Amino acid sequence: MSPVAVALVAPREVRLVEEPAAALGPRQVRVRTLYSGISAGTELAAYRGTSPFLRKRWDPTRRLFEQDDGDASLTYPLTTWGYEEVGEVVERGAELGDSGDLPPGTRVYGTWGHRSQAVIDAATASQRVLPPDMEPLLGIYSHIGPIALNGVLDTAVRLGETVAVFGLGVVGQLVAQLLHRAGARVIGVDGIAQRRDTALGLGLDMALDPAEPVAKRIREITAGRGADVCVEASGSTRALHEATRACAYGSRVVVLGFYQGDAAGLFLGEEFHHNRISLVCSQIGGVAVELQQRWDRLRLVFTFMDLAARGDVRCTPLITHRVPADDAPSMYELLDARPHDVLQAVLDFRDSAT
């Protein structure tokens, strides 16, 4: 049977489609997908049709979005979405010969989309081998984990400081764990009680409901100062506004959220202006300028995966749903209609056509 992929054929319309098997190059390996994680941020924006890449063209040279009729960076159908995969080698290219690298059964992680198989350069795959004794599901965190780690580096947090994390989805949960390990006192903020409970069970110091006066509570907790750093990981501009309110004078908000549409509920003439708050965008396309001589994307990946392998950051407790890949349409419907019910969703490709 032909390989299959999860295709977004139109806004809120997902199908499992057959696709031709990719040719195997002489120094490539074919990987059969085991699991693929769904991103509830970037992917949901594409699913709902709100991603700017569907309306505008991103010019990577000038680093600008251009709005030209009929010239968007992404068009439906999309089969290249999905960026958290783990699989096992099932075939090797002719030039790999009898070398001991990447024998069949080797588990590798990476980014090849929601599809039952992929062809990967052996040099790339050999850098992303999952240890044999490591839980395979951890491989789906090889992209979202480095996003969280990059955000923590952008906080420049110091031992003993207080950090408030707004949004305890997958990214926020990972950020909170990493900050706690770095020696910060971490306060989480999320409107979903189950997410607050999950974070507390994974070591968070305190979790607040945004129905409370969060900024006032954080100032009370910090002897009137406010948080040394706030992290906004929900993608809500209202949460971003509350994060600026919760910060100490002259401090920063590190922004990981992928905001859609206008910035409703964000009042930049208030605390942001009067307390000299810095907004720092954290995005996985790069690292902070002052770190670029020492940190790059691969170091982020290797560092996070090592922390996950040692159990220093716990990922599998974040998985709330694991469904066969055939059930992808209903899983996206659930994420869209009832996001409060889902934390990390995983597509299981083990029984899909290959």
Side-chain angles (χ1 to χ4, degrees):
M1 296 179 67
S2 299
V4 295
V6 176
L8 177 59
V9 297
R12 292 184 165 88
E13 186 176 347
V14 171
R15 298 177 190 164
L16 207 66
V17 299
E18 292 187 357
E19 60 181 8
L24 183 66
R27 300 199 62 80
Q28 294 181 317
V29 292
R30 192 180 307 278
V31 176
R32 178 175 70 89
T33 305
L34 299 173
Y35 303 108
S36 186
I38 297 177
S39 157
T42 303
E43 285 191 59
L44 262 290
Y47 178 81
R48 293 167 175 156
T50 61
S51 171
F53 291 96
L54 292 164
R55 295 178 288 104
K56 299 179 180 180
R57 177 177 55 83
W58 171 248
D59 184 335
T61 302
R62 293 190 291 175
R63 303 199 66 79
L64 289 172
F65 278 102
E66 303 284 357
Q67 190 158 20
D68 300 319
D69 289 342
D71 188 22
S73 292
L74 295 178
T75 57
Y76 299 113
L78 296 176
T79 57
T80 55
W81 63 338
Y83 53 54
E84 305 178 280
E85 286 74 50
V86 61
E88 60 183 16
V89 174
V90 293
E91 187 179 2
R92 292 153 38 92
E95 288 187 10
L96 298 179
D98 297 327
S99 70
D101 295 337
L102 302 170
T106 302
R107 291 170 180 162
V108 298
Y109 57 83
T111 301
W112 56 81
H114 299 311
R115 48 183 26 88
S116 59
Q117 67 167 244
V119 168
I120 304 171
D121 288 343
T124 298
S126 64
Q127 291 181 315
R128 294 165 172 83
V129 173
L130 206 66
D133 59 347
M134 189 171 175
E135 164 60 56
L137 277 167
L138 292 175
I140 70 162
Y141 289 93
S142 64
H143 186 80
I144 203 77
I147 288 173
L149 177 56
N150 202 28
V152 170
L153 293 180
D154 283 323
T155 67
V157 70
R158 294 170 175 83
L159 184 68
E161 291 189 326
T162 298
V163 184
V165 178
F166 287 74
L168 295 173
V170 175
V171 173
Q173 297 275 354
L174 296 175
V175 166
Q177 289 189 58
L178 291 165
L179 285 167
H180 182 78
R181 178 166 177 75
R185 176 170 62 166
V186 186
I187 302 170
V189 182
D190 201 289
I192 303 173
Q194 183 178 357
R195 293 185 179 184
R196 297 196 301 270
D197 291 342
T198 297
L200 289 169
L202 293 173
L204 195 73
D205 295 281
M206 183 180 298
L208 303 177
D209 187 334
E212 305 178 48
V214 170
K216 289 182 180 179
R217 287 280 291 119
I218 290 175
R219 290 186 184 278
E220 291 170 0
I221 294 164
T222 56
R225 289 187 305 272
D228 297 289
V229 186
C230 287
V231 176
E232 204 302 290
S234 73
S236 163
T237 49
R238 288 180 171 83
L240 177 58
H241 179 64
E242 194 65 14
T244 64
R245 298 187 70 233
C247 271
Y249 183 90
S251 58
R252 64 172 56 184
V253 179
V254 175
V255 180
L256 286 89
F258 183 29
Y259 304 102
Q260 306 299 303
D262 294 337
L266 180 62
F267 302 97
L268 296 179
E270 298 182 4
E271 289 83 6
F272 168 75
H273 178 77
H274 289 85
N275 289 337
R276 296 178 62 90
I277 303 300
S278 298
L279 295 183
V280 177
C281 176
S282 183
Q283 203 271 347
I284 194 61
V287 298
V289 173
E290 63 270 21
L291 299 178
Q292 288 178 3
Q293 291 297 319
R294 296 180 287 118
W295 283 87
D296 59 14
R297 178 69 167 273
L298 274 180
R299 185 177 179 184
L300 289 171
V301 171
F302 295 158
T303 300
F304 183 84
M305 293 303 288
D306 184 53
L307 289 168
R310 298 202 310 258
D312 291 332
V313 57
R314 296 169 61 195
C315 301
T316 52
L318 306 180
I319 297 172
T320 55
H321 293 71
R322 187 171 72 185
V323 301
D326 292 353
D327 292 342
S330 60
M331 192 69 254
Y332 281 98
E333 289 175 9
L334 179 64
L335 279 162
D336 183 36
R338 302 204 310 274
H340 289 194
D341 294 346
V342 186
L343 191 50
Q344 175 69 70
V346 178
L347 300 178
D348 189 334
F349 276 90
R350 291 176 298 171
D351 295 328
S352 297
T354 56

